[in-house]
Amino acid sequence: MSVQERKQRERAERERLIVATARELAEQQGWDAVTTRRLAERIEYSQPVLYSHFRGKREIIGAVALEGAAEMAAEVRAATSAADGPRGRVAALARTYLDFAARNPAVYDALFQLDGGLPYAREDTPEPLKDAFAALLESLGEVAGDGVHPALFTEVFWASLHGLATLTRAGRLLPEDAARRMELLVDRLAVV
């Protein structure tokens, strides 16, 4: 291995450590607790080393969002591929999405609530974000209904899931109605 390859590998490892530490800190204490000073202390590197990887917290949030998008896409695909029939796939997608949001609130915030400097729904949207949407579209496109554009239907279904995830986390919805909400979403919105 050349010196340059070793340095590139070490740089990539430092970057992964920064992102993992930011994510861990955000999940434990919220994004307000994630500062370059605290990250530098936790990973035992100087702040200038952090700034050599990320220009600031915004870019770190973006990196966590990209990582989270890839994880969510993988989880959705695994769940939907194990489900039977269109209704089963839609139900598995919805459960997996909501479970992901509940298990990873800081990552979910990085993806959909905070400014990570990432463009969404544009030509230059990063591939992990496009792939996460594609993971939803793969199952939802088949239940969009006649004359309904599959991507548009996916956006509406996704917005419904996002609303459920956000309102549930904020304690605005009765927990005992979660299963009925899911049934309504799957049975009334999707044409199965």
Side-chain angles (χ1 to χ4, degrees), residues 2 6 24 26 40 52 56 67 93-94 101 107 122 132 137 139 145 163 183:
S2 73
R6 182 181 53 78
E24 178 184 325
S52 74
E67 186 177 272
L93 178 151
V107 173
R122 294 188 351 206
L137 179 62
S139 291
E183 251 180 65

Side-chain angles (χ1 to χ4, degrees), residues 119-143:
Y120 284 77
R122 294 188 351 206
E123 192 68 33
D124 60 340
T125 297
E127 205 51 47
L129 299 178
K130 288 180 181 179
D131 189 54
F133 184 79
L136 301 177
L137 179 62
E138 289 161 12
S139 291
L140 294 171
E142 68 181 323
V143 297

Side-chain angles (χ1 to χ4, degrees), residues 23 26-28 30-31 64 98-114 165 169:
R23 181 176 174 168
E27 292 293 0
Q28 291 170 353
W31 278 104
V64 169
L98 294 174
D99 288 347
F100 181 88
R103 277 192 336 272
N104 306 284
V107 173
Y108 192 82
D109 285 349
L111 269 164
F112 302 119
Q113 302 287 93
L114 301 174
R169 187 165 133 203

Side-chain angles (χ1 to χ4, degrees), residues 11-180:
R11 180 173 176 75
E13 287 172 9
R14 268 194 317 273
E15 192 165 301
R16 278 191 297 275
L17 178 62
I18 294 166
V19 172
T21 304
R23 181 176 174 168
E24 178 184 325
L25 187 57
E27 292 293 0
Q28 291 170 353
Q29 300 176 31
W31 278 104
D32 287 342
V34 179
T35 64
T36 53
R37 182 202 272 161
R38 288 186 83 184
L39 284 174
E41 288 171 4
R42 283 204 174 196
I43 66 172
E44 300 178 344
Y45 282 101
S46 67
Q47 284 181 295
V49 170
L50 265 78
Y51 285 115
S52 74
H53 291 274
F54 300 99
R55 287 183 291 210
K57 183 175 176 177
R58 182 178 186 220
E59 284 188 4
I60 293 169
I61 290 169
V64 169
L66 293 176
E67 186 177 272
E71 290 171 13
M72 187 174 69
E75 287 183 27
V76 164
R77 284 190 174 107
T80 57
S81 70
D84 290 329
R87 187 193 188 289
R89 283 188 288 281
V90 172
L93 178 151
R95 271 192 311 279
T96 301
Y97 183 97
L98 294 174
D99 288 347
F100 181 88
R103 277 192 336 272
N104 306 284
V107 173
Y108 192 82
D109 285 349
L111 269 164
F112 302 119
Q113 302 287 93
L114 301 174
D115 179 9
L118 303 172
Y120 284 77
R122 294 188 351 206
E123 192 68 33
D124 60 340
T125 297
E127 205 51 47
L129 299 178
K130 288 180 181 179
D131 189 54
F133 184 79
L136 301 177
L137 179 62
E138 289 161 12
S139 291
L140 294 171
E142 68 181 323
V143 297
D146 293 336
V148 178
H149 191 281
L152 184 61
F153 176 78
T154 299
E155 289 174 346
V156 171
F157 198 93
W158 169 31
S160 298
L161 288 173
H162 177 70
L164 287 175
T166 304
L167 292 170
T168 298
R169 187 165 133 203
R172 303 290 199 268
L173 301 175
L174 295 172
E176 61 267 20
D177 290 335
R180 289 187 0 194

